[in-house]
Amino acid sequence: NAGVMQNPRHLVRRRGQEARLRCSPMKGHSHVYWYRQLPEEGLKFMVYLQKENIIDESGMPKERFSAEFPKEGPSILRIQQVVRGDSAAYFCASSQGQGINQPQHFGDGTRLSIL
Amino acid sequence: DAKTTQPPSMDCAEGRAANLPCNHSTISGNEYVYWYRQIHSQGPQYIIHGLKNNETNEMASLIITEDRKSSTLILPHATLRDTAVYYCIVRVVSSGGSNYKLTFGKGTLLTVNP
């Protein structure tokens, strides 16, 4: 998984706090995707961003969750007022483009634990 | 996107070839077959993809049947580090629509034994 950097690897928050997860895509990649993996489940798509634009956020809960990918800096997934059900592994992936021969490459994720 | 079916688990002896099957009987002509794997505590790792021809890279080979209803991922000489959950995913080619959404099922847990 060299290339896509996520931090922190582990994040512990108390209920009601905010969680900020960061993702730096592979060099040369301008497309970023966030996925969530609940315990014992497969990854589920949350949001797709290109530089400064949200392309598709259909998989992201409408309340408390937001994502951005600014012109400079990493992509950020923000969860406000966290609840126990937000405990999961959050993975970021990046690609050069949307084309079929441009696979998504994943980071090693951020494991969020809510106390 | 077409649904895929994989066995929940498989075992393989170290040094032997690991052959992981995937059924995608409802695949459409514009859908590719992608394989990823997820080693414990890591993110998914891209392995290989193909449309209808067999493909090979430094990690694995992908054999797709002529009718495209099933495929097999082959790891030619499995090592202990290949122990992981392997996901077979079909992905539509079209430039429009949401072809970027990867749908991960439960995959196959491959255990490579010494």
Side-chain angles (χ1 to χ4, degrees):
Chain A
N1 296 319
V4 178
M5 303 301 295
Q6 290 189 249
N7 68 83
R9 287 295 309 275
H10 301 274
L11 182 61
V12 179
R13 285 286 177 267
R14 296 188 182 281
R15 281 178 294 171
Q17 291 185 319
E18 178 179 285
R20 289 168 65 93
L21 288 61
R22 295 175 187 75
C23 169
S24 296
M26 283 180 71
K27 187 175 181 181
H29 288 192
S30 58
H31 298 248
V32 165
Y33 316 80
W34 286 91
Y35 291 79
R36 178 166 67 175
Q37 186 172 33
L38 294 170
E40 308 303 321
E41 293 188 14
L43 278 77
K44 297 282 193 300
F45 168 84
M46 297 181 74
V47 60
Y48 163 35
L49 311 101
Q50 292 181 35
K51 279 291 186 182
E52 299 185 274
N53 291 304
I54 296 175
I55 307 302
D56 182 349
E57 56 184 348
S58 60
M60 198 159 66
K62 304 242 183 304
E63 307 281 332
R64 305 185 297 107
F65 285 72
S66 63
E68 62 178 12
F69 188 17
K71 187 176 179 181
E72 303 290 338
S75 175
I76 306 285
L77 179 68
R78 180 186 300 158
I79 312 172
Q80 295 178 300
Q81 300 175 323
V82 297
V83 300
R84 287 251 169 88
D86 297 332
S87 293
Y90 292 83
F91 292 97
C92 167
S94 72
S95 67
Q96 275 189 320
Q98 209 184 99
I100 199 67
N101 282 315
Q102 293 165 323
Q104 295 174 26
H105 295 273
F106 286 79
D108 280 337
T110 293
R111 278 144 188 86
L112 177 63
S113 299
I114 309 302
L115 301 180
Chain B
D1 292 347
K3 180 179 167 57
T4 62
T5 304
Q6 299 177 253
S9 63
M10 291 183 65
D11 285 282
C12 177
E14 189 178 18
R16 299 283 191 150
N19 298 287
L20 293 98
C22 179
N23 182 287
H24 32 79
S25 58
T26 61
I27 195 168
S28 313
N30 64 345
E31 287 181 314
Y32 273 67
V33 180
Y34 267 71
W35 283 83
Y36 280 80
R37 73 179 181 183
Q38 188 173 21
I39 296 169
H40 183 61
S41 297
Q42 296 182 20
Q45 178 186 21
Y46 165 76
I47 301 173
I48 199 167
H49 72 279
L51 181 63
K52 54 184 178 181
N53 298 320
N54 298 337
E55 303 287 344
T56 295
N57 63 21
E58 65 278 4
M59 287 184 68
S61 294
L62 175 60
I63 309 297
I64 303 174
T65 57
E66 195 168 337
D67 63 8
R68 303 212 318 123
K69 292 183 185 299
S70 65
S71 60
T72 301
L73 179 75
I74 300 173
L75 307 179
H77 305 287
T79 71
L80 299 179
R81 287 177 295 182
D82 292 321
T83 292
V85 178
Y86 287 76
Y87 297 98
C88 169
I89 298 168
V90 293
R91 189 178 164 201
V92 69
V93 171
S94 64
S95 57
S98 56
N99 62 319
Y100 43 78
K101 292 182 186 177
L102 298 179
T103 301
F104 289 80
K106 294 189 183 301
T108 296
L109 172 60
L110 173 69
T111 303
V112 181
N113 300 305

